PDB file of all heavy atoms in Angstrom:
ATOM      1  N   ASP A  51      -3.917   6.717 -11.335  1.00 79.00           N
ATOM      2  CA  ASP A  51      -3.082   6.417 -12.524  1.00 79.00           C
ATOM      3  C   ASP A  51      -1.621   6.723 -12.050  1.00 79.00           C
ATOM      4  O   ASP A  51      -0.734   6.471 -12.853  1.00 79.00           O
ATOM      5  CB  ASP A  51      -3.389   7.387 -13.656  1.00 79.00           C
ATOM      6  CG  ASP A  51      -3.403   8.871 -13.356  1.00 79.00           C
ATOM      7  OD1 ASP A  51      -3.461   9.274 -12.179  1.00 79.00           O
ATOM      8  OD2 ASP A  51      -3.359   9.631 -14.276  1.00 79.00           O
ATOM      9  N   ASP A  52      -1.391   7.187 -10.753  1.00 88.00           N
ATOM     10  CA  ASP A  52      -0.049   7.308 -10.237  1.00 88.00           C
ATOM     11  C   ASP A  52       0.625   5.975 -10.117  1.00 88.00           C
ATOM     12  O   ASP A  52       0.033   5.034  -9.566  1.00 88.00           O
ATOM     13  CB  ASP A  52      -0.069   8.095  -9.018  1.00 88.00           C
ATOM     14  CG  ASP A  52       1.244   8.333  -8.406  1.00 88.00           C
ATOM     15  OD1 ASP A  52       1.941   9.374  -8.806  1.00 88.00           O
ATOM     16  OD2 ASP A  52       1.694   7.564  -7.585  1.00 88.00           O
ATOM     17  N   MET A  53       1.876   5.855 -10.501  1.00 90.00           N
ATOM     18  CA  MET A  53       2.568   4.523 -10.485  1.00 90.00           C
ATOM     19  C   MET A  53       2.667   4.048  -9.081  1.00 90.00           C
ATOM     20  O   MET A  53       2.405   2.815  -8.811  1.00 90.00           O
ATOM     21  CB  MET A  53       3.924   4.662 -11.116  1.00 90.00           C
ATOM     22  CG  MET A  53       4.693   3.341 -11.170  1.00 90.00           C
ATOM     23  SD  MET A  53       3.874   2.087 -12.186  1.00 90.00           S
ATOM     24  CE  MET A  53       4.160   2.660 -13.848  1.00 90.00           C
ATOM     25  N   ALA A  54       2.939   4.846  -8.076  1.00 91.00           N
ATOM     26  CA  ALA A  54       3.126   4.377  -6.697  1.00 91.00           C
ATOM     27  C   ALA A  54       1.735   3.886  -6.194  1.00 91.00           C
ATOM     28  O   ALA A  54       1.718   2.848  -5.473  1.00 91.00           O
ATOM     29  CB  ALA A  54       3.595   5.541  -5.829  1.00 91.00           C
ATOM     30  N   VAL A  55       0.634   4.527  -6.612  1.00 93.00           N
ATOM     31  CA  VAL A  55      -0.667   4.066  -6.128  1.00 93.00           C
ATOM     32  C   VAL A  55      -1.016   2.779  -6.762  1.00 93.00           C
ATOM     33  O   VAL A  55      -1.465   1.781  -6.083  1.00 93.00           O
ATOM     34  CB  VAL A  55      -1.730   5.158  -6.358  1.00 93.00           C
ATOM     35  CG1 VAL A  55      -3.091   4.634  -6.040  1.00 93.00           C
ATOM     36  CG2 VAL A  55      -1.400   6.445  -5.584  1.00 93.00           C
ATOM     37  N   GLN A  56      -0.745   2.632  -8.062  1.00 91.00           N
ATOM     38  CA  GLN A  56      -1.030   1.377  -8.733  1.00 91.00           C
ATOM     39  C   GLN A  56      -0.291   0.266  -8.189  1.00 91.00           C
ATOM     40  O   GLN A  56      -0.839  -0.831  -7.976  1.00 91.00           O
ATOM     41  CB  GLN A  56      -0.676   1.519 -10.286  1.00 91.00           C
ATOM     42  CG  GLN A  56      -1.680   2.383 -11.082  1.00 91.00           C
ATOM     43  CD  GLN A  56      -1.251   2.487 -12.516  1.00 91.00           C
ATOM     44  OE1 GLN A  56      -0.211   2.034 -12.967  1.00 91.00           O
ATOM     45  NE2 GLN A  56      -2.077   3.192 -13.257  1.00 91.00           N
ATOM     46  N   ARG A  57       1.018   0.466  -7.923  1.00 91.00           N
ATOM     47  CA  ARG A  57       1.866  -0.530  -7.364  1.00 91.00           C
ATOM     48  C   ARG A  57       1.436  -0.949  -5.949  1.00 91.00           C
ATOM     49  O   ARG A  57       1.391  -2.167  -5.598  1.00 91.00           O
ATOM     50  CB  ARG A  57       3.322  -0.172  -7.335  1.00 91.00           C
ATOM     51  CG  ARG A  57       3.878  -0.120  -8.813  1.00 91.00           C
ATOM     52  CD  ARG A  57       5.368   0.040  -8.777  1.00 91.00           C
ATOM     53  NE  ARG A  57       5.989  -1.062  -8.204  1.00 91.00           N
ATOM     54  CZ  ARG A  57       7.366  -1.086  -7.933  1.00 91.00           C
ATOM     55  NH1 ARG A  57       8.067  -0.104  -8.081  1.00 91.00           N
ATOM     56  NH2 ARG A  57       7.807  -2.266  -7.420  1.00 91.00           N
ATOM     57  N   ALA A  58       0.969  -0.009  -5.200  1.00 92.00           N
ATOM     58  CA  ALA A  58       0.432  -0.298  -3.817  1.00 92.00           C
ATOM     59  C   ALA A  58      -0.718  -1.191  -3.863  1.00 92.00           C
ATOM     60  O   ALA A  58      -0.881  -2.265  -3.299  1.00 92.00           O
ATOM     61  CB  ALA A  58       0.248   0.982  -3.055  1.00 92.00           C
ATOM     62  N   VAL A  59      -1.687  -0.852  -4.735  1.00 92.00           N
ATOM     63  CA  VAL A  59      -2.844  -1.632  -4.851  1.00 92.00           C
ATOM     64  C   VAL A  59      -2.564  -3.075  -5.362  1.00 92.00           C
ATOM     65  O   VAL A  59      -3.027  -4.026  -4.920  1.00 92.00           O
ATOM     66  CB  VAL A  59      -3.960  -0.942  -5.708  1.00 92.00           C
ATOM     67  CG1 VAL A  59      -5.147  -1.864  -6.055  1.00 92.00           C
ATOM     68  CG2 VAL A  59      -4.434   0.399  -5.133  1.00 92.00           C
ATOM     69  N   ASP A  60      -1.663  -3.101  -6.327  1.00 91.00           N
ATOM     70  CA  ASP A  60      -1.291  -4.369  -6.975  1.00 91.00           C
ATOM     71  C   ASP A  60      -0.653  -5.338  -5.859  1.00 91.00           C
ATOM     72  O   ASP A  60      -1.021  -6.498  -5.783  1.00 91.00           O
ATOM     73  CB  ASP A  60      -0.315  -4.254  -8.100  1.00 91.00           C
ATOM     74  CG  ASP A  60      -1.103  -3.685  -9.365  1.00 91.00           C
ATOM     75  OD1 ASP A  60      -2.283  -3.669  -9.435  1.00 91.00           O
ATOM     76  OD2 ASP A  60      -0.320  -3.279 -10.277  1.00 91.00           O
ATOM     77  N   VAL A  61       0.226  -4.722  -5.162  1.00 90.00           N
ATOM     78  CA  VAL A  61       0.940  -5.536  -4.118  1.00 90.00           C
ATOM     79  C   VAL A  61      -0.083  -6.019  -3.043  1.00 90.00           C
ATOM     80  O   VAL A  61      -0.020  -7.243  -2.639  1.00 90.00           O
ATOM     81  CB  VAL A  61       2.062  -4.723  -3.416  1.00 90.00           C
ATOM     82  CG1 VAL A  61       2.556  -5.325  -2.129  1.00 90.00           C
ATOM     83  CG2 VAL A  61       3.179  -4.457  -4.352  1.00 90.00           C
ATOM     84  N   LEU A  62      -1.026  -5.198  -2.682  1.00 92.00           N
ATOM     85  CA  LEU A  62      -2.006  -5.562  -1.663  1.00 92.00           C
ATOM     86  C   LEU A  62      -2.974  -6.620  -2.259  1.00 92.00           C
ATOM     87  O   LEU A  62      -3.300  -7.557  -1.471  1.00 92.00           O
ATOM     88  CB  LEU A  62      -2.724  -4.355  -1.154  1.00 92.00           C
ATOM     89  CG  LEU A  62      -1.965  -3.408  -0.336  1.00 92.00           C
ATOM     90  CD1 LEU A  62      -2.508  -2.090  -0.293  1.00 92.00           C
ATOM     91  CD2 LEU A  62      -1.619  -3.946   1.058  1.00 92.00           C
ATOM     92  N   ILE A  63      -3.405  -6.504  -3.453  1.00 92.00           N
ATOM     93  CA  ILE A  63      -4.327  -7.401  -3.990  1.00 92.00           C
ATOM     94  C   ILE A  63      -3.808  -8.667  -4.465  1.00 92.00           C
ATOM     95  O   ILE A  63      -4.350  -9.734  -4.171  1.00 92.00           O
ATOM     96  CB  ILE A  63      -5.142  -6.625  -5.142  1.00 92.00           C
ATOM     97  CG1 ILE A  63      -6.031  -5.528  -4.561  1.00 92.00           C
ATOM     98  CG2 ILE A  63      -6.096  -7.704  -5.945  1.00 92.00           C
ATOM     99  CD1 ILE A  63      -6.715  -4.687  -5.603  1.00 92.00           C
TER     100      ILE A  63
END
Side-chain angles (χ1 to χ4, degrees):
D51 57 343
D52 181 86
M53 184 61 74
V55 174
Q56 286 179 357
R57 289 188 69 190
V59 172
D60 288 346
V61 165
L62 291 164
I63 291 174

